[in-house]
Short mmCIF file of all heavy atoms in Angstrom, two decimals:
data_model
loop_
_atom_site.label_atom_id
_atom_site.label_comp_id
_atom_site.label_asym_id
_atom_site.label_seq_id
_atom_site.Cartn_x
_atom_site.Cartn_y
_atom_site.Cartn_z
N ASP A 13 -3.75 -0.15 13.19
CA ASP A 13 -3.46 -1.54 13.56
C ASP A 13 -4.08 -2.57 12.63
O ASP A 13 -3.96 -3.78 12.88
CB ASP A 13 -3.91 -1.83 15.00
CG ASP A 13 -3.13 -1.02 16.02
OD1 ASP A 13 -1.94 -0.73 15.77
OD2 ASP A 13 -3.71 -0.65 17.06
N ARG A 14 -4.72 -2.15 11.55
CA ARG A 14 -5.24 -3.13 10.60
C ARG A 14 -4.11 -3.65 9.72
O ARG A 14 -3.15 -2.94 9.41
CB ARG A 14 -6.34 -2.53 9.74
CG ARG A 14 -7.62 -2.24 10.50
CD ARG A 14 -8.78 -1.91 9.59
NE ARG A 14 -9.26 -3.05 8.83
CZ ARG A 14 -10.05 -4.01 9.31
NH1 ARG A 14 -10.43 -3.99 10.57
NH2 ARG A 14 -10.44 -4.99 8.54
N ASN A 15 -4.24 -4.90 9.33
CA ASN A 15 -3.28 -5.57 8.48
C ASN A 15 -3.83 -5.53 7.06
O ASN A 15 -4.84 -6.19 6.76
CB ASN A 15 -3.08 -7.01 8.95
CG ASN A 15 -1.95 -7.71 8.25
OD1 ASN A 15 -1.09 -7.07 7.63
ND2 ASN A 15 -1.94 -9.03 8.30
N ILE A 16 -3.21 -4.75 6.18
CA ILE A 16 -3.80 -4.42 4.88
C ILE A 16 -2.86 -4.79 3.74
O ILE A 16 -1.65 -4.54 3.80
CB ILE A 16 -4.13 -2.92 4.79
CG1 ILE A 16 -5.15 -2.53 5.88
CG2 ILE A 16 -4.67 -2.55 3.42
CD1 ILE A 16 -5.41 -1.03 5.98
N LEU A 17 -3.42 -5.38 2.71
CA LEU A 17 -2.71 -5.62 1.45
C LEU A 17 -3.31 -4.72 0.38
O LEU A 17 -4.53 -4.69 0.20
CB LEU A 17 -2.87 -7.07 1.01
CG LEU A 17 -2.43 -7.41 -0.42
CD1 LEU A 17 -0.91 -7.24 -0.58
CD2 LEU A 17 -2.86 -8.82 -0.82
N GLU A 18 -2.44 -3.98 -0.30
CA GLU A 18 -2.90 -3.27 -1.50
C GLU A 18 -2.26 -3.94 -2.71
O GLU A 18 -1.04 -3.98 -2.84
CB GLU A 18 -2.51 -1.79 -1.48
CG GLU A 18 -3.10 -1.09 -2.71
CD GLU A 18 -2.59 0.31 -2.96
OE1 GLU A 18 -1.72 0.80 -2.20
OE2 GLU A 18 -3.06 0.90 -3.96
N ILE A 19 -3.10 -4.46 -3.59
CA ILE A 19 -2.58 -5.04 -4.82
C ILE A 19 -2.58 -3.98 -5.91
O ILE A 19 -3.37 -3.03 -5.87
CB ILE A 19 -3.39 -6.29 -5.26
CG1 ILE A 19 -4.80 -5.92 -5.71
CG2 ILE A 19 -3.45 -7.31 -4.15
CD1 ILE A 19 -5.52 -7.06 -6.40
N ALA A 20 -1.66 -4.14 -6.86
CA ALA A 20 -1.47 -3.13 -7.91
C ALA A 20 -1.29 -1.76 -7.26
O ALA A 20 -1.93 -0.78 -7.63
CB ALA A 20 -2.62 -3.13 -8.89
N CYS A 21 -0.38 -1.69 -6.30
CA CYS A 21 -0.23 -0.48 -5.49
C CYS A 21 0.43 0.66 -6.25
O CYS A 21 0.40 1.81 -5.81
CB CYS A 21 0.56 -0.78 -4.23
SG CYS A 21 2.30 -1.21 -4.51
N GLY A 22 1.05 0.37 -7.40
CA GLY A 22 1.66 1.42 -8.20
C GLY A 22 2.71 2.19 -7.43
O GLY A 22 3.61 1.61 -6.81
N THR A 23 2.58 3.50 -7.41
CA THR A 23 3.55 4.36 -6.73
C THR A 23 3.27 4.52 -5.24
O THR A 23 3.88 5.35 -4.58
CB THR A 23 3.58 5.75 -7.38
OG1 THR A 23 2.28 6.36 -7.24
CG2 THR A 23 3.94 5.67 -8.85
N GLY A 24 2.35 3.73 -4.71
CA GLY A 24 2.14 3.68 -3.27
C GLY A 24 1.26 4.78 -2.70
O GLY A 24 1.33 5.05 -1.50
N ARG A 25 0.41 5.40 -3.53
CA ARG A 25 -0.43 6.48 -3.01
C ARG A 25 -1.24 6.02 -1.80
O ARG A 25 -1.30 6.71 -0.78
CB ARG A 25 -1.40 6.97 -4.08
CG ARG A 25 -0.79 7.78 -5.17
CD ARG A 25 -1.89 8.45 -6.00
NE ARG A 25 -2.79 7.49 -6.60
CZ ARG A 25 -4.12 7.57 -6.57
NH1 ARG A 25 -4.72 8.56 -5.94
NH2 ARG A 25 -4.87 6.66 -7.17
N PHE A 26 -1.90 4.89 -1.92
CA PHE A 26 -2.77 4.40 -0.84
C PHE A 26 -1.97 3.66 0.23
O PHE A 26 -2.27 3.79 1.42
CB PHE A 26 -3.86 3.51 -1.42
CG PHE A 26 -4.71 4.19 -2.45
CD1 PHE A 26 -4.53 3.92 -3.79
CD2 PHE A 26 -5.67 5.10 -2.08
CE1 PHE A 26 -5.30 4.56 -4.75
CE2 PHE A 26 -6.45 5.75 -3.03
CZ PHE A 26 -6.26 5.48 -4.37
N SER A 27 -0.98 2.88 -0.18
CA SER A 27 -0.18 2.14 0.80
C SER A 27 0.50 3.09 1.79
O SER A 27 0.47 2.86 3.00
CB SER A 27 0.88 1.31 0.07
OG SER A 27 0.30 0.29 -0.71
N VAL A 28 1.11 4.15 1.27
CA VAL A 28 1.78 5.11 2.15
C VAL A 28 0.77 5.81 3.05
O VAL A 28 0.99 5.97 4.25
CB VAL A 28 2.57 6.13 1.31
CG1 VAL A 28 3.10 7.26 2.19
CG2 VAL A 28 3.73 5.45 0.59
N MET A 29 -0.35 6.22 2.48
CA MET A 29 -1.39 6.90 3.27
C MET A 29 -1.87 6.02 4.42
O MET A 29 -2.00 6.48 5.56
CB MET A 29 -2.57 7.26 2.37
CG MET A 29 -3.75 7.85 3.13
SD MET A 29 -5.27 7.94 2.13
CE MET A 29 -5.70 6.20 1.98
N LEU A 30 -2.12 4.74 4.14
CA LEU A 30 -2.64 3.84 5.17
C LEU A 30 -1.60 3.58 6.25
O LEU A 30 -1.94 3.49 7.44
CB LEU A 30 -3.11 2.54 4.52
CG LEU A 30 -4.33 2.67 3.61
CD1 LEU A 30 -4.53 1.41 2.79
CD2 LEU A 30 -5.59 2.99 4.42
N ALA A 31 -0.33 3.45 5.85
CA ALA A 31 0.73 3.27 6.84
C ALA A 31 0.92 4.53 7.69
O ALA A 31 1.22 4.44 8.88
CB ALA A 31 2.03 2.89 6.15
N GLU A 32 0.73 5.69 7.09
CA GLU A 32 0.78 6.94 7.85
C GLU A 32 -0.30 6.96 8.93
O GLU A 32 -0.12 7.53 10.01
CB GLU A 32 0.58 8.14 6.94
CG GLU A 32 1.77 8.52 6.09
CD GLU A 32 1.48 9.76 5.27
OE1 GLU A 32 0.74 9.68 4.27
OE2 GLU A 32 2.01 10.83 5.64
N GLN A 33 -1.45 6.34 8.63
CA GLN A 33 -2.59 6.33 9.55
C GLN A 33 -2.49 5.22 10.60
O GLN A 33 -3.38 5.08 11.44
CB GLN A 33 -3.89 6.14 8.75
CG GLN A 33 -4.19 7.25 7.77
CD GLN A 33 -4.76 8.47 8.44
OE1 GLN A 33 -5.35 8.38 9.51
NE2 GLN A 33 -4.58 9.63 7.83
N GLY A 34 -1.41 4.42 10.55
CA GLY A 34 -1.20 3.42 11.59
C GLY A 34 -1.47 1.99 11.20
O GLY A 34 -1.41 1.09 12.05
N ALA A 35 -1.76 1.73 9.94
CA ALA A 35 -1.96 0.36 9.49
C ALA A 35 -0.64 -0.32 9.18
O ALA A 35 0.37 0.34 8.90
CB ALA A 35 -2.85 0.34 8.24
N ASP A 36 -0.63 -1.65 9.24
CA ASP A 36 0.50 -2.44 8.78
C ASP A 36 0.19 -2.88 7.35
O ASP A 36 -0.75 -3.65 7.12
CB ASP A 36 0.72 -3.65 9.68
CG ASP A 36 1.11 -3.24 11.10
OD1 ASP A 36 1.88 -2.28 11.25
OD2 ASP A 36 0.62 -3.89 12.05
N VAL A 37 0.96 -2.39 6.39
CA VAL A 37 0.58 -2.46 4.99
C VAL A 37 1.64 -3.19 4.17
O VAL A 37 2.84 -3.00 4.36
CB VAL A 37 0.40 -1.05 4.39
CG1 VAL A 37 -0.09 -1.12 2.95
CG2 VAL A 37 -0.58 -0.23 5.24
N VAL A 38 1.15 -4.02 3.26
CA VAL A 38 1.99 -4.58 2.20
C VAL A 38 1.45 -4.04 0.89
O VAL A 38 0.27 -4.20 0.58
CB VAL A 38 1.96 -6.12 2.18
CG1 VAL A 38 2.74 -6.65 0.96
CG2 VAL A 38 2.56 -6.68 3.47
N GLY A 39 2.31 -3.38 0.12
CA GLY A 39 1.95 -2.91 -1.20
C GLY A 39 2.57 -3.83 -2.24
O GLY A 39 3.80 -3.98 -2.27
N LEU A 40 1.76 -4.45 -3.06
CA LEU A 40 2.24 -5.41 -4.06
C LEU A 40 1.95 -4.91 -5.45
O LEU A 40 0.86 -4.42 -5.73
CB LEU A 40 1.58 -6.77 -3.84
CG LEU A 40 1.99 -7.91 -4.77
CD1 LEU A 40 2.17 -9.21 -4.01
CD2 LEU A 40 0.98 -8.09 -5.90
N ASP A 41 2.95 -5.02 -6.33
CA ASP A 41 2.77 -4.58 -7.71
C ASP A 41 3.69 -5.40 -8.60
O ASP A 41 4.73 -5.89 -8.16
CB ASP A 41 3.10 -3.09 -7.85
CG ASP A 41 2.47 -2.47 -9.09
OD1 ASP A 41 3.01 -2.67 -10.19
OD2 ASP A 41 1.42 -1.81 -8.95
N ILE A 42 3.32 -5.53 -9.87
CA ILE A 42 4.13 -6.27 -10.82
C ILE A 42 5.28 -5.44 -11.37
O ILE A 42 6.23 -5.98 -11.95
CB ILE A 42 3.24 -6.80 -11.97
CG1 ILE A 42 3.95 -7.95 -12.70
CG2 ILE A 42 2.86 -5.67 -12.92
CD1 ILE A 42 3.05 -8.71 -13.65
N SER A 43 5.21 -4.13 -11.19
CA SER A 43 6.19 -3.21 -11.77
C SER A 43 7.25 -2.82 -10.76
O SER A 43 6.96 -2.13 -9.77
CB SER A 43 5.50 -1.95 -12.30
OG SER A 43 6.45 -0.98 -12.65
N ALA A 44 8.50 -3.21 -11.01
CA ALA A 44 9.60 -2.82 -10.13
C ALA A 44 9.80 -1.30 -10.15
O ALA A 44 10.13 -0.69 -9.14
CB ALA A 44 10.88 -3.53 -10.56
N ALA A 45 9.56 -0.70 -11.31
CA ALA A 45 9.73 0.76 -11.43
C ALA A 45 8.71 1.51 -10.59
O ALA A 45 9.04 2.51 -9.94
CB ALA A 45 9.62 1.17 -12.90
N MET A 46 7.46 1.05 -10.58
CA MET A 46 6.44 1.68 -9.75
C MET A 46 6.76 1.51 -8.27
O MET A 46 6.62 2.44 -7.47
CB MET A 46 5.07 1.08 -10.07
CG MET A 46 4.52 1.45 -11.42
SD MET A 46 3.93 3.16 -11.46
CE MET A 46 3.18 3.21 -13.10
N LEU A 47 7.20 0.33 -7.89
CA LEU A 47 7.53 0.09 -6.49
C LEU A 47 8.67 0.97 -6.02
O LEU A 47 8.68 1.42 -4.87
CB LEU A 47 7.89 -1.39 -6.30
CG LEU A 47 6.75 -2.39 -6.49
CD1 LEU A 47 7.28 -3.82 -6.47
CD2 LEU A 47 5.67 -2.21 -5.43
#
């Protein structure tokens, strides 16, 4: 239930993990290819 921003999230290693654990996550990155 934590509201989390990951900057420079890249391929989403941490963003996906945190959302799997129940967090509400925004993953932000400058690279469209990484996203």
Side-chain angles (χ1 to χ4, degrees):
D13 296 328
R14 290 192 70 78
N15 188 18
I16 299 173
L17 168 66
E18 184 191 1
I19 68 168
C21 67
T23 62
R25 287 192 301 132
F26 302 103
S27 294
V28 172
M29 175 192 70
L30 292 168
E32 284 183 285
Q33 297 282 335
D36 296 321
V37 184
V38 174
L40 181 138
D41 201 282
I42 199 169
S43 170
M46 290 286 186
L47 292 172

